[in-house]
Amino acid sequence: MEDKISEYREIVLQTFLMLFIIYVFILIYKHYNPYALPGVEKRFLYLLIILGVIVIISYIQKLNKLLNFIINTLNKIFKPIISLSVGQKFVLLAIIFLIISAIDLILRGEHIANVDAIIAYYFLVIGVLNLLFEYWNESFQKLRIIVSLILLSVLIYYTPEVTKIYPKAYYLPIIILILFLVYQFLRKFYI
């Protein structure tokens, strides 16, 4: 019985993959000749969705094992990051932005890499200031997060090089701040 189920599972998967490849070729063909085969891409998409659901249902046990493996791996990766202090997190973000700056220097040019380096410098300054406060006093962690994100937003807003390339980048720290405050509120009352 299990052999039949795995055989059907394999047939459905192979059919899905073949139809997906055909769908990609149809999309390429329709790109160059948009008036040929009207509506065929929608029909293929509906068929692929139906077959995709069948494939997911048939592989649900194997996907569950894969999902558990991914979750365990992510826990091993992110647990040390979550346990970092506020200043250490900002310094880590500065290092990440410096890596992004190096990649942008290679791929997109010097001007964008300089802007990324400016943002990395802001993260580094805020991180070091937080580390100094943590050295003297470990308290007020939430307040330091709030002040740091507001300071980062103000620094980005008043830097013309950054706002020229990323015009609305100063919104991102404010959005993160709002999400942080909502999370703290929900955690206080519901969790």
Side-chain angles (χ1 to χ4, degrees):
M1 179 70 176
E2 184 64 36
D3 292 336
K4 281 286 191 193
I5 292 174
S6 78
E7 181 181 332
Y8 290 140
R9 195 181 296 154
E10 227 16 74
I11 290 171
V12 170
L13 181 63
Q14 288 175 1
T15 306
F16 175 78
L17 291 175
M18 286 189 304
L19 288 176
F20 182 76
I21 292 169
I22 292 170
Y23 179 69
V24 169
F25 282 117
I26 287 174
L27 288 178
I28 293 169
Y29 180 73
K30 290 285 286 189
H31 177 73
Y32 292 111
N33 192 359
Y35 301 109
L37 305 170
V40 73
E41 65 272 6
K42 272 187 182 177
R43 293 181 188 114
F44 253 87
L45 182 61
Y46 295 146
L47 181 64
L48 281 174
I49 289 171
I50 292 169
L51 276 175
V53 168
I54 292 171
V55 167
I56 289 172
I57 290 171
S58 65
Y59 279 96
I60 200 84
Q61 287 179 336
K62 293 185 180 190
L63 289 175
N64 194 14
K65 291 178 185 176
L66 177 66
L67 186 62
N68 285 337
F69 172 74
I70 291 172
I71 289 172
N72 289 336
T73 305
L74 289 176
N75 277 337
K76 288 178 185 175
I77 292 171
F78 288 114
K79 193 172 261 187
I81 294 173
I82 291 171
S83 67
L84 294 175
S85 70
V86 176
Q88 291 170 337
K89 288 177 185 174
F90 275 98
V91 171
L92 177 67
L93 287 171
I95 293 169
I96 291 171
F97 264 96
L98 282 176
I99 293 170
I100 291 170
S101 176
I103 293 170
D104 277 346
L105 181 63
I106 294 168
L107 298 177
R108 296 171 64 189
E110 182 180 350
H111 186 67
I112 295 175
N114 287 338
V115 170
D116 293 340
I118 290 169
I119 295 172
Y121 176 73
Y122 291 157
F123 275 108
L124 186 63
V125 167
I126 292 171
V128 169
L129 288 175
N130 271 303
L131 286 171
L132 287 174
F133 283 115
E134 289 167 9
Y135 180 71
W136 289 315
N137 192 355
E138 285 282 329
S139 60
F140 306 116
Q141 179 178 359
K142 293 176 187 171
L143 180 65
R144 282 188 289 114
I145 291 173
I146 293 170
V147 171
S148 298
L149 288 173
I150 291 172
L151 178 64
L152 180 64
S153 180
V154 169
L155 287 172
I156 291 173
Y157 181 77
Y158 285 113
T159 307
E161 293 88 4
V162 176
T163 55
K164 185 177 178 185
I165 299 294
Y166 306 116
K168 304 293 182 189
Y170 59 91
Y171 283 141
L172 190 60
I174 298 299
I175 292 170
I176 293 170
L177 174 63
I178 291 169
L179 291 174
F180 172 74
L181 292 174
V182 167
Y183 172 74
Q184 291 300 320
F185 175 78
L186 292 176
R187 192 171 136 203
K188 183 177 181 180
F189 290 107
Y190 297 110
I191 299 176

